[in-house]
């Protein structure tokens, strides 16, 4: 241990503002980059899953999307 | 050898192999950076000249190393993409640029903060500082250029060319402290001689550097996986993968 006490450690021999600012900014940027990379991947996977489910639902109901649009068209005609 | 390279270029294979490698890189990065942080901040001895302000070195040097290595990696990936048309190389180049810019910023910022107590100034148009600032602008340029095209192929080609041309700046950064020695001190480390500081000082620095490199690999692999999902979302294997997970 290079310091006598915890207060000593925080004070950094009078260089506290410099040491802690540089460290805080660096670690914060690393943390944000890491969290962003993981969240980005999770978000994309979720989006793909949602799309798959939607397509399966549409494929599952008889007539699929076409039926829906046809009914809309008929309503306008009459 | 060529079969391996060909396989590595296949997004599907890359997606599978990277998922097995990633936990190792994340764990190693967190461990090394954790150990390096505690060691560097609390246990390494104070510098006889600079006192405790020198502890900024443990974030400044790894960030500056990474800033330059990422740019070289980006240029190599750009070259591979231009010569062999390997898409995954372009994805790598695209995904590592923001981290490179962030690390260049960290290098400049921590250097400026360190400069106040040691040099009495946070900025001077010293060759090392200026060439690092140019590196930062090159990163911004590569990122902006990629966003400026509506066709992905044109964007990739333009970004690759800029990275390959901009890499000229890297040797300039490296030798700037020897060619124009004005403010920034020359490198404290070299491959050929023993470090001039005690092991208790340089070991945590080495650990931090390795930790930062592992972190870079982890973030890049992770982001490349995302980019694969984005670019290949209509491929059958991606749809099957999403189907299996839901």
């Amino acid at each position: 241990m290079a310091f006598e006490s915890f207060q000593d450690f925080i004070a950094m021999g009078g260089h506290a503002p410099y040491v802690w600012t540089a460290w805080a900014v660096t670690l914060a940027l690393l943390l944000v980059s890491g969290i962003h990379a993981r969240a980005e991947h999770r978000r994309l996977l979720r989006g793909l899953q949602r799309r798959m489910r939607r397509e399966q639902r549409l494929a599952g109901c008889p007539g699929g999307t076409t039926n829906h649009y046809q009914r809309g068209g008929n309503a306008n005609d009459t | 050898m060529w079969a391996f390279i060909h396989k590595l270029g296949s997004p599907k294979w890359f997606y599978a192999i990277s998922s097995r490698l990633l936990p190792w890189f994340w764990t190693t990065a967190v461990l090394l950076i954790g150990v390096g942080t505690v060691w560097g901040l609390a246990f390494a001895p104070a510098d006889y000249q600079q006192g405790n302000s020198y502890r900024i070195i443990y974030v400044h040097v790894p960030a500056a190393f990474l800033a330059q290595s990422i740019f070289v990696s980006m240029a190599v990936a750009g070259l591979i993409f231009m010569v062999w048309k390997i898409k995954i190389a372009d994805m790598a180049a695209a995904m590592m640029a923001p981290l490179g810019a962030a690390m260049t910023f960290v290098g400049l910022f921590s250097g400026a903060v360190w400069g106040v107590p040691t040099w009495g100034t946070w900025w001077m148009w010293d060759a090392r500082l200026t060439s690092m600032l140019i590196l930062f602008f090159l990163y911004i340029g590569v990122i902006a250029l990629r966003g400026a095209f509506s066709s992905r192929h044109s964007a990739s080609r333009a970004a690759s060319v800029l990275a390959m041309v901009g890499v000229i700046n890297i040797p300039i950064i490296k030798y700037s402290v020897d060619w124009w020695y004005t403010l920034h001190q020359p490198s404290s480390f070299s491959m050929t001689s023993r470090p001039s500081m005690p092991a208790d000082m340089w070991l945590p620095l080495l650990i931090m550097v390795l930790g930062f490199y592992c972190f870079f690999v982890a973030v890049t692999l992770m982001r490349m996986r995302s980019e694969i999902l984005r670019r290949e979302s209509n491929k059958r294997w991606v749809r099957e993968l999403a189907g299996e997970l839901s």
Side-chain angles (χ1 to χ4, degrees):
Chain A
M1 196 76 176
F3 299 94
E4 301 278 311
S5 65
F6 186 69
Q7 278 82 4
D8 238 28
F9 171 65
I10 295 297
M12 280 288 156
H15 290 306
Y18 311 111
V19 174
W20 294 121
T21 313
W23 272 83
V25 167
T26 310
L27 293 184
L29 261 173
L30 287 184
L31 204 66
V32 167
S33 312
I35 290 172
H36 167 259
R38 296 173 70 104
E40 180 185 39
H41 186 251
R42 209 174 311 126
R43 196 182 60 233
L44 281 161
L45 266 185
R46 291 238 177 86
L48 272 173
Q49 283 164 11
R50 255 201 311 279
R51 205 180 81 187
M52 291 290 293
R53 274 201 296 274
R54 196 165 54 231
E55 285 174 9
Q56 271 161 9
R57 217 169 34 240
L58 289 175
C61 75
T65 41
T66 15
N67 192 20
H68 179 75
Y69 286 118
Q70 267 174 359
R71 268 200 307 194
N74 287 342
N76 282 340
D77 282 346
T78 48
Chain B
M1 183 66 189
W2 280 109
F4 174 74
I5 290 176
H6 192 74
K7 235 163 103 182
L8 200 65
S10 132
K12 183 186 175 184
W13 191 81
F14 182 91
Y15 195 87
I17 194 82
S18 60
S19 109
R20 269 187 284 156
L21 291 174
L22 263 171
W24 295 101
F25 280 108
W26 282 126
T27 316
T28 319
V30 170
L31 277 178
L32 289 176
I33 293 175
V35 169
T37 298
V38 174
W39 195 347
L41 274 177
F43 290 92
D47 185 73
Y48 75 100
Q49 267 186 328
Q50 300 185 25
N52 286 305
S53 69
Y54 98 96
R55 290 182 201 280
I56 293 172
I57 201 175
Y58 298 112
V59 289
H60 178 74
V61 166
F65 274 13
L66 213 51
Q68 298 171 71
S69 303
I70 295 178
F71 205 92
V72 173
S73 314
M74 215 166 66
V76 170
L79 183 75
I80 293 174
F81 172 71
M82 293 294 271
V83 175
W84 290 288
K85 309 271 176 280
I86 295 174
K87 273 185 296 179
I88 204 118
D90 179 54
M91 297 188 199
M95 293 297 104
M96 60 178 78
L99 186 66
M103 287 301 109
T104 313
F105 173 78
V106 165
L108 285 166
F109 180 82
S110 59
V113 169
W114 195 3
V116 176
T118 21
W119 296 332
T121 177
W122 66 275
W123 185 264
M124 208 178 111
W125 293 100
D126 163 82
R128 171 60 70 85
L129 277 60
T130 309
S131 51
M132 273 309 264
L133 187 66
I134 291 171
L135 183 71
F136 184 66
F137 291 144
L138 278 171
Y139 271 121
I140 302 294
V142 168
I143 295 168
L145 197 59
R146 200 176 270 282
F149 290 83
S150 50
S151 138
R152 172 146 62 218
H153 191 68
S154 316
S156 302
R157 288 172 61 97
S160 300
V161 170
L162 182 56
M164 281 151 62
V165 173
V167 85
I168 276 291
N169 189 38
I170 298 296
I172 296 179
I173 295 175
K174 181 165 168 32
Y175 294 109
S176 58
V177 282
D178 306 319
W179 292 341
W180 311 278
Y181 180 30
T182 49
L183 181 67
H184 196 289
Q185 61 165 344
S187 175
S188 315
F189 299 96
S190 75
M191 292 287 184
T192 47
S193 60
R194 291 183 59 79
S196 52
M197 38 168 100
D200 229 15
M201 276 183 174
W202 64 257
L203 261 176
L205 183 57
L206 181 69
I207 290 173
M208 282 301 261
V209 169
L210 293 176
F212 271 55
Y213 274 97
C214 284
F215 179 82
F216 158 57
V217 174
V219 165
T220 306
L221 288 182
M222 194 80 216
R223 298 206 63 213
M224 282 169 77
R225 287 161 67 75
S226 301
E227 187 69 358
I228 287 172
L229 292 183
R230 240 180 253 131
R231 292 197 195 183
E232 313 256 293
S233 61
N234 288 320
K235 291 273 166 65
R236 216 177 70 158
W237 73 269
V238 175
R239 299 168 63 87
E240 279 170 6
L241 179 93
E244 276 166 31
L245 291 173
S246 60

